[in-house]
Structures are given as structure tokens and as C-alpha cells.
Amino acid sequence: AGGGGSGDEQDDENIVNEQPIEISSDSSINDSGSEAHIESDSEVSIVEDSVSDDSDASDSHNDERLQDEFSTIMAMPFKEHKLYMQLCHTAFKLNAFENINVAISAFEKYSTIPAHIWLRYLKTLKAVTQTPEEHVVYYGKCATALSSYYDENLAEFVVKDLQGLQPKELWTKVICDYGIMRVDFISKLRQLLETAEDKDLSQSLSEQCATWNCSDEEQQDMAQIIADFKIKLKESNEQSSWLQEMFLLRIDALNVSKRCKLTLAKVIYELSLAKWAHNSDLWLDYIAYMQTPLNKEEPNNNEQHYTLVNDGYLKTKPMELIRRGLLSKPSVKLNHKFVQMMEQHDFSLEKVDEELGQLFARIEHYMDMTVELQLDYLAYRVRIINASDEQQVTALRSTFRHVWDRLSEQYGEMADTSYEVLQLWALVEYAKLNSPLEGAAIWSEIFSYPGSSDRVDLWLACAQMDAEYNGGRKIRSLLQQALRSLPISVMGISDLYRRYERCFGNYETISQCQVYCTQILESDHVPAPQRTTTFAQGRRQPTQQLQKTANKNHAGAVIQSPKKLLLKKDLPAPKKQQQQPSPPVKKEILETKTVNFKYSTQLETNKIFIKNLHAACTQEELSKAFQGYGNIKDVRLVFKNNQRFKGFAYIEFERPEEAQKAVEGANGLKLGGLSIVVAISNPPPRPTVTPNAPRVGEKRRMPTTLIPTKLVILESKRRKKLEMDEATSTSMDANGKASSTNDDVDDANSKPQTQLEEETTSKEAVPPKSNDDFRKLFNI
């Protein structure tokens, strides 16, 4: 039976007339498992367009534009899955078989082609297949398509085209994969066998297909489970392991052979993968299921699930599954599992390098994934090394150097910003190779890169390695160097330094530690310039040129001389009474500080304090926001020692009334998306620092009220007047006339109004203690 038979005249006519090839109803992707898989990806629109007859019809008259689009996509050096989908879509619109072949071949090298793309390609290929040699190629493409994802429509298309028993292998593989779900496939093949009486094929099917000899009742029970699973799968929007586990439990309860149960479980996982092909956890669950021992009481039994599953085109052996998963879409999890499985299968180092070389070429444009896989590979090399073999040690060091240089060349400073590769190398030198000097040299290289000496975590990691594997010989020098290098967070390092001296030092070293830490903390410590991160490609360079030794034993590994360690010269221990001069403060830093404000310890009525400002706030922005409240004398933004904005500022007005007006009007105002808080400036007492003097805790100050004094006074007057009016109105004589029974009231009525306001203000004008009291005062 050939692809160019009489039943396919319409397809032949389409190719000859160069009309768009339509997908028939039997190959619609609406019922296939691949549709949901595509819906979960980013290329939904492309898939919909690729099967749109209207789109094909409208674009068929614009071949020149489509050809330009096809050539542009093909010329791109790196194409992701979506672009390959677009490439195939454009090729089908062009309806040029040469372009379609090119698109399919390119897609096949990059990733697993979705089943609906294969289906459309096979329809095209079938229409142009005439000679026996072309039929061989056609059936080979059918076999490749069937090995992509589990797709019932694709299998149905292939089976309908097989009108005889040839090719036998294609029949056998299809029945192995789909016979448990499509009983009609088995019925059709049985009819052909009765006519042809091919005993060899019958024997092959009986041995390889688990459901070939099943009863009708068994086949009905298994088909019902698959039907129920397809319904649940269509309803589920997110992949979770419970869906497969629930049906695996149902499978275990079936009264069928073990081979049928395992084949049925295979179909459950394959249907799931057809929908969520890019889900790494699903691939890992599938692999774990196939690696589970058949006898749980004997976990060391070599018999696995997959030994009883007679594979069709969809391979289920764990190593085949991990390859299929990586071809579908690599991920950090799958890459890690791949390295682990190659090690478990005792792959040679040359084979591992070959396999990972191909994988690195595919994930080159994913920096984080590449770094993680390089670390997995280095860890594998560390596990298999024989530390007593100098040749292997030299090769390992060369590998570390090659990986680091390669990452630097590919991604520049963006690659491995935590220096995990070099830290792992240093740890291997300390712990595995017993070479602390070489490990210290690697740490010296780490700290020579821009910004690395400002990171506390790196200093602590370095100190930990020296403490665990070098007897702590360099701990004291490391901590001193860290104190001198770190622009911030030096308090934690100084505390660690003190604890170390108290545990391992003596009275003299403890005293020297106290003096040294005090001098560092009291000095005007100016931070080093912040590291600027760029996306520029190329090899990263240290801040200082590393002096490299010509150590021939390293075979290309570039390592500093042991004399040029991280601490090239131990710091001299300061004497007990000697004061070391503070390092000079950079002139440019001083020039950026404003000195117009004098530190005050009292309430500053003409100055306001503003907090909760956004990080990019400027003096100009604050001046513009507050200029409507009065004449501004000065604006001050407060910064940390590392020139980072603290988020608050001060504004000084000419008169106190202007400051109160600013508090009333600007408190709660939004600047840069944040609601600011405005209050009258009330700075805390400035602490006096005395060297080596015990610290006396200051009493916690009450928070400064944001309530303007003038408003409080006016409200107090108003309430007092209301109370007096109420007291007067309630005092009535027998004739219903108001009478005064209180001498104080008479005196108050006899006094002038201005004198009365002054007296009531002095007696009753007590400011509320908080903003809540202020709101209650005004019934807000």
C-alpha cells in the first residue's frame, strides 16, 4: 500500500495545483492530547494559525512575503520553540515541499516536533510519495513521528494508510503502543492475518503486544480506565502527580496480567506528557515509576517495570525517557537527573563528555541552566577522581579552569556572580586534594574580581574553609583583612573576630583584637565603589593583574603563587596604647555632603522632618512639592556612608508658621507612589562617643506629635466656650429665666473676651498625646 494510492487523489491534486493542504476531520487536533499541551505553552496562536484554513487561503496569494519571512527565520542564529513553530507554519502556507522539508529537519534537530505538525507533514509527504524507495522514506518518517508524543489521531492516520501487512515492524510497534486503547486496530490486523496467514507476524505480536491475547472483557475494562483518565485530563488545568497516582491505584486493582497493568500505566503517563510535555516533574515521575523494583520487598532486584513493557516507538527505559525529556525541553532538574543516570550506568568519561557536549550546545543561550549543569559536571568529576593519581588531579584542575574561563567568555560578569565554580574548586583543593595553599590562591583570585571583597558571605566561606581544613592558620589574618575591606556590615565580622580570640587566643591577642576593632569602627570608613554589572560579553578581568606562576604540575591551570595569597602580608598587630591614624576620607565624598544644617537637640519649629520617601527622591522634587507652603531656606536628604538614600529628609523654612502649614497640608501626600509622613523636626540628643567607655542606654523618646499647636489651642477655646454656654443654659430660676449660681461664671462674664480666652487657654490647652487623641478631639 502506498501513499499515492487512488484514495489520495485529492492530496495529489493539492500538491500539483499548489493549493494549501487541508487537514481532514480524522486528523483534527481538537480531540488529541497534543492540543492541551500546546495550550500550556506560549505558542498557542501559532498552532491555531497553522491549522486555520482561512489563514492559509489568505496568505497563499502572497508567496513573496511568506518566502521573505521564511528566509528571515531560517537566518536567525538562535531560534526557540515558538520560532520553529512559526517556521513550519510559514512553510505550510508556502506549500513548497522543499521549504517544508527544511523546516521539519531544522525543528527535529532542536526539539521534539508536536504530533499535529507531524500529522500535517505526513499528509504532505504522502501526496508526493510514488516510488518504492519513496515509500521506504515515508514509512520511516511515520515511525519517527510516532516516537514523538502519544497521539491517537496520528496513529489512526498511519494505520489507515497501512492497507496490507507491510511493513510488519510498523504494525507491531503501533499495536504495542495503541492496541490497549484502540481495539479496532487489533481487529483490522487480525482480519489481515486471516487472509495472509503470516505466522511470523502473529508470533511477533503474541510476544511483544501485551493486549494481543487479552479477552474482550479485559480489553473493555482497560479501555474504560483510559476513557475516564482522558476526561479527567481534559478537565485538569494544572499538572499534579495525584492525577496519575489515582489511576495507577485503579490499575493495580484490575484483574489482568502484570504486563497489561504496566502497559496501561505507560499509556497514562504518555497521555499526560502529550498535554504537559514541558513539565520536568512529570518526566521525573515517569522515570521513577519505571525504575521502581517489581518486588518492593527486594529493592535490589534488577528486574524493573520497563523490562515487562514491550516498547513500541515510545521508549520507556529510564535512559530513553530522560533523553526524550531533554529533547522535549531541557531543564535544571532533568539535566541533573541525566548526569546522575549516566554515572549510575557507568558511562565512561569520554561518553559523558560527548553527551554533555551536545546538551551544552542546545542550552548555550540559557545562562543559569548552563552554570548549573557545569556545576553538576564538576561535581561528577570530583566524585570519580582518584586523588592519589597526579594525572587525574592535573586534569581536574584544568577542567575547573576551562569551565570558569568558558563561562567568562560566554556571559562575561553575569555568569556565576556567586563564584560557585571557584568556591567549589577551592573546597576541592582544601578537602579532597589536601592543598590549602592552592585553595588560598583560588580565594585570592575570587577577591581580586570587582565587588567580591565587599561581600561578607565570601569572607565567611573563606574563613570556614581555612578553619575546617587548614587548622585555622589564617583565620586571624582573614578576619583582619575582612574588616579593612568591607564597607558595610563590619559589626558581624568584628564580633566573629572577638569570639575567635576569646576561644583560641590569649590575653594579649584579645587586647589587640579589641583595639583593632575599635579603630576600624571609629574610623571614617569610606566604602569602595559599587560594582557595576554589565551585559557585555567577554572574559572578566580581576581588578589587579594576577601574578601567575609557571607551575608545570597544573597542566594549564592558572593559579597564583603560594606567596601571593589572599593575605599577601599579615597585618602588624597594633600595640595596646598605640593609636593608628584613620584612613583619609575621599575628597569627592565630602564634597557631596551638605553642611548647611547644624545638629540641634531641641524642637526646631521652623524645620520639618519628612520620611517614607522613595529611593530616587531628589532635592529638586522636594523643593517643588513644598514651595507652596512658604519660603524654603534649605533642603537636606540624609544618606548612609555608602551613599545610599535613607528615605528621609529635612526642610527648613524661614518662619515657624510656614513649617506648621507644611505639616498640615503635606502629611500623607504621595511622592513617587509612597505616602510621606511630615512632622516638626525634633531630633534626639546627639550621643557622645568615648573610646573604650561603657555605653549608657538612652531613654526611649516619645514619638514627635504631628499635631500643630495652633489648632490645639483654637479647639480648646471652642470647647471651653461650649461648656460655659451649656452651664449657663442649665441654670434656671423658678420663673424660667437664666440665673447665674456660680461666682466664677459671674466673674467670667464680667471679664473682657480677650482676657477670658487667655485664661482658658492657659488652663485647658493641653496638647493630646497622640494622633489618635487628636482625631478624637475633632471627631474624625
Side-chain angles (χ1 to χ4, degrees):
S6 60
D8 305 314
E9 294 178 357
Q10 181 63 39
D11 287 335
D12 292 339
E13 183 180 354
N14 283 334
I15 291 296
V16 173
N17 296 332
E18 297 188 355
Q19 296 296 323
I21 299 172
E22 299 181 358
I23 299 180
S24 60
S25 59
D26 66 315
S27 60
S28 172
I29 66 168
N30 293 332
D31 297 328
S32 81
S34 62
E35 176 198 17
H37 152 58
I38 294 302
E39 287 181 351
S40 65
D41 297 333
S42 61
E43 55 272 8
V44 177
S45 61
I46 294 175
V47 174
E48 292 174 352
D49 290 343
S50 66
V51 295
S52 174
D53 297 335
D54 295 336
S55 176
D56 287 344
S58 61
D59 289 342
S60 61
H61 304 291
N62 198 355
D63 291 345
E64 184 177 353
R65 182 184 64 83
L66 292 174
Q67 185 62 48
D68 291 341
E69 179 181 341
F70 183 86
S71 301
T72 301
I73 298 177
M74 281 299 301
M76 292 181 180
F78 173 71
K79 295 181 283 292
E80 294 185 346
H81 192 275
K82 184 175 182 178
L83 280 177
Y84 280 105
M85 295 286 290
Q86 181 66 43
L87 185 68
C88 294
H89 169 67
T90 306
F92 285 124
K93 281 186 175 182
L94 283 169
N95 205 28
F97 186 72
E98 181 180 355
N99 289 340
I100 295 175
N101 255 339
V102 170
I104 293 295
S105 299
F107 200 169
E108 192 175 2
K109 292 179 181 178
Y110 170 79
S111 179
T112 305
I113 301 178
H116 71 278
I117 297 292
W118 273 120
L119 183 58
R120 196 171 189 187
Y121 172 69
L122 291 179
K123 282 180 171 289
T124 306
L125 184 60
K126 173 186 173 182
V128 298
T129 299
Q130 302 295 333
T131 65
E133 293 77 11
E134 291 174 348
H135 280 99
V136 173
V137 174
Y138 170 74
Y139 288 128
K141 292 295 183 181
C142 289
T144 305
L146 289 170
S147 66
S148 58
Y149 298 114
Y150 200 89
D151 189 84
E152 186 178 353
N153 297 318
L154 181 60
E156 184 177 1
F157 171 79
V158 173
V159 169
K160 282 185 176 182
D161 194 38
L162 297 175
Q163 298 180 4
L165 295 179
Q166 299 297 330
K168 297 181 181 180
E169 183 180 1
L170 188 57
W171 265 116
T172 305
K173 297 291 187 181
V174 170
I175 296 300
C176 285
D177 285 335
Y178 296 92
I180 198 169
M181 183 170 58
R182 295 295 300 266
V183 182
D184 57 321
F185 290 177
I186 297 180
S187 300
K188 179 180 179 179
L189 184 55
R190 287 187 186 277
Q191 294 176 0
L192 294 173
L193 286 173
E194 290 177 359
T195 304
E197 297 183 356
D198 192 331
K199 296 182 179 180
D200 293 337
L201 182 56
S202 300
Q203 182 68 22
S204 176
L205 289 169
S206 179
E207 293 176 354
Q208 297 187 33
C209 181
T211 58
W212 181 254
N213 296 320
C214 288
S215 64
D216 294 340
E217 183 180 357
E218 292 175 337
Q219 289 182 345
Q220 185 177 0
D221 292 341
M222 291 185 289
Q224 184 61 44
I225 289 182
I226 294 177
D228 295 342
F229 180 76
K230 290 173 68 175
I231 295 175
K232 292 290 185 181
L233 188 65
K234 189 174 182 179
E235 296 174 352
S236 179
N237 295 324
E238 295 183 0
Q239 194 279 325
S240 58
S241 59
W242 69 267
L243 182 61
Q244 290 80 29
E245 292 174 356
M246 178 175 62
F247 280 88
L248 290 177
L249 292 175
R250 287 184 58 181
I251 292 172
D252 287 338
L254 281 179
N255 187 21
V256 294
S257 66
K258 185 66 176 179
R259 290 181 61 190
C260 289
K261 291 181 179 180
L262 296 178
T263 305
L264 189 56
K266 169 188 174 180
V267 174
I268 294 298
Y269 275 110
E270 292 292 347
L271 286 172
S272 303
L273 287 172
K275 182 174 183 178
W276 294 300
H278 293 174
N279 190 297
S280 301
D281 293 331
L282 182 57
W283 284 103
L284 294 175
D285 289 345
Y286 194 5
I287 294 171
Y289 179 80
M290 288 301 173
Q291 287 181 325
T292 305
L294 293 176
N295 189 351
K296 297 182 179 180
E297 298 179 357
E298 299 179 8
N300 296 326
N301 189 352
N302 293 328
E303 286 188 321
Q304 307 288 332
H305 278 86
Y306 65 85
T307 58
L308 290 181
V309 177
N310 295 291
D311 289 342
Y313 286 110
L314 295 166
K315 304 299 182 182
T316 59
K317 291 184 178 181
M319 186 56 72
E320 295 292 340
L321 284 176
I322 192 66
R323 293 181 190 278
R324 287 177 57 196
L326 289 172
L327 186 60
S328 176
K329 186 177 181 180
S331 68
V332 173
K333 292 181 179 179
L334 290 179
N335 296 343
H336 179 78
K337 184 67 175 179
F338 186 41
V339 175
Q340 178 189 13
M341 292 179 64
M342 286 192 294
E343 185 177 0
Q344 291 174 348
H345 285 74
D346 295 327
F347 278 29
S348 64
L349 180 58
E350 293 75 14
K351 181 64 174 177
V352 172
D353 290 341
E354 179 185 353
E355 295 281 351
L356 292 184
Q358 299 174 1
L359 184 55
F360 278 124
R362 291 191 62 214
I363 66 173
E364 181 179 1
H365 292 270
Y366 304 100
M367 182 186 67
D368 294 338
M369 192 187 304
T370 300
V371 173
E372 288 296 325
L373 183 56
Q374 291 284 16
L375 289 170
D376 287 339
Y377 173 66
L378 291 173
Y380 160 74
R381 292 292 302 271
V382 171
R383 288 193 295 270
I384 65 173
I385 190 178
N386 181 6
S388 60
D389 189 337
E390 186 62 29
Q391 185 176 359
Q392 293 188 25
V393 171
T394 302
L396 180 63
R397 287 170 173 164
S398 299
T399 302
F400 270 102
R401 175 55 59 189
H402 172 74
V403 168
W404 176 252
D405 291 343
R406 178 60 177 162
L407 291 176
S408 300
E409 292 170 1
Q410 283 182 295
Y411 310 111
E413 293 185 354
M414 295 302 298
D416 193 15
T417 55
S418 297
Y419 306 100
E420 288 294 336
V421 171
L422 293 181
Q423 288 195 63
L424 176 60
W425 187 4
L427 182 59
V428 170
E429 293 287 356
Y430 274 108
K432 286 277 188 178
L433 307 181
N434 298 321
S435 302
L437 294 181
E438 304 291 355
I442 297 170
W443 274 111
S444 179
E445 180 180 350
I446 293 175
F447 286 113
S448 67
Y449 291 110
S452 58
S453 60
D454 299 341
R455 294 175 49 175
V456 180
D457 59 319
L458 295 178
W459 286 104
L460 294 179
C462 181
Q464 181 184 9
M465 286 188 193
D466 190 82
E468 291 185 10
Y469 305 107
N470 194 31
R473 295 181 178 87
K474 291 291 182 180
I475 289 292
R476 184 176 290 109
S477 299
L478 281 169
L479 296 177
Q480 290 178 353
Q481 182 76 359
L483 282 172
R484 294 188 61 186
S485 301
L486 290 171
I488 55 176
S489 303
V490 295
M491 186 62 69
I493 297 295
S494 62
D495 292 342
L496 178 61
Y497 186 17
R498 290 188 179 99
R499 285 194 296 270
Y500 174 79
E501 291 295 350
R502 288 166 184 153
C503 183
F504 300 101
N506 51 40
Y507 178 79
E508 182 179 357
T509 59
I510 293 176
S511 300
Q512 293 173 355
C513 170
Q514 297 287 355
V515 174
Y516 189 86
C517 292
T518 301
Q519 292 175 353
I520 292 292
L521 294 176
E522 291 181 356
S523 64
D524 292 333
H525 195 59
V526 179
Q530 293 294 319
R531 177 185 180 185
T532 57
T533 305
T534 63
F535 288 87
Q537 299 294 319
R539 179 190 178 106
R540 70 188 96 187
Q541 297 294 337
T543 54
Q544 297 178 355
Q545 181 64 29
L546 296 177
Q547 296 183 4
K548 305 170 184 178
T549 60
N551 192 340
K552 297 182 180 180
N553 294 331
H554 293 175
V558 182
I559 300 179
Q560 280 189 291
S561 170
K563 296 182 179 180
K564 299 293 182 180
L565 299 178
L566 170 66
L567 303 175
K568 300 177 181 179
K569 184 178 181 181
D570 291 348
L571 296 174
K575 296 182 180 179
K576 187 175 182 180
Q577 301 297 333
Q578 183 181 358
Q579 295 290 337
Q580 294 185 355
S582 301
V585 182
K586 294 184 178 180
K587 183 178 181 180
E588 57 269 18
I589 299 297
L590 285 176
E591 289 178 353
T592 60
K593 295 182 179 180
T594 3
V595 293
N596 297 333
F597 282 76
K598 295 183 179 180
Y599 196 94
S600 173
T601 58
Q602 300 178 354
L603 183 68
E604 300 172 287
T605 57
N606 65 328
K607 188 187 297 184
I608 61 173
F609 168 75
I610 310 147
K611 68 177 182 178
N612 201 31
L613 294 170
H614 61 94
C617 185
T618 61
Q619 291 183 349
E620 292 76 10
E621 184 178 1
L622 285 179
S623 300
K624 186 177 180 180
F626 284 87
Q627 64 184 2
Y629 300 108
N631 297 325
I632 298 177
K633 292 177 62 177
D634 215 334
V635 179
R636 176 193 175 194
L637 275 66
V638 182
F639 293 87
K640 300 179 182 179
N641 286 338
N642 61 354
Q643 299 303 300
R644 291 186 179 179
F645 182 43
K646 287 187 175 182
F648 62 89
Y650 294 90
I651 296 181
E652 183 178 1
F653 291 91
E654 289 187 353
R655 295 180 297 172
E657 295 81 4
E658 297 171 342
Q660 290 184 0
K661 186 178 178 181
V663 172
E664 297 171 26
N667 185 43
L669 178 71
K670 283 197 173 183
L671 286 180
L674 299 178
S675 299
I676 63 173
V677 179
V678 185
I680 298 297
S681 176
N682 187 18
R686 190 169 191 172
T688 56
V689 180
T690 304
N692 300 327
R695 295 184 179 180
V696 180
E698 297 287 347
K699 184 178 180 180
R700 186 185 298 274
R701 297 187 307 113
M702 294 298 293
T704 304
T705 177
L706 305 180
I707 305 170
T709 307
K710 186 176 181 180
L711 290 178
V712 176
I713 295 175
L714 292 177
E715 176 62 17
S716 179
K717 289 180 181 180
R718 187 180 68 83
R719 287 186 176 275
K720 183 62 178 178
K721 185 177 180 181
L722 291 175
E723 292 175 0
M724 291 173 59
D725 293 343
E726 184 180 357
T728 303
S729 61
T730 55
S731 299
M732 299 291 181
D733 56 9
N735 297 325
K737 296 181 180 180
S739 63
S740 178
T741 58
N742 193 314
D743 295 338
D744 294 336
V745 175
D746 294 337
D747 294 340
N749 292 333
S750 64
K751 292 180 181 180
Q753 180 67 22
T754 56
Q755 184 179 357
L756 177 61
E757 290 178 356
E758 292 177 358
E759 291 180 3
T760 56
T761 300
S762 61
K763 292 180 181 179
E764 302 296 336
V766 179
K769 296 181 180 181
S770 68
N771 291 334
D772 292 336
D773 295 337
F774 177 67
R775 295 185 181 94
K776 293 177 182 178
L777 186 65
F778 285 95
N779 295 324
I780 300 176

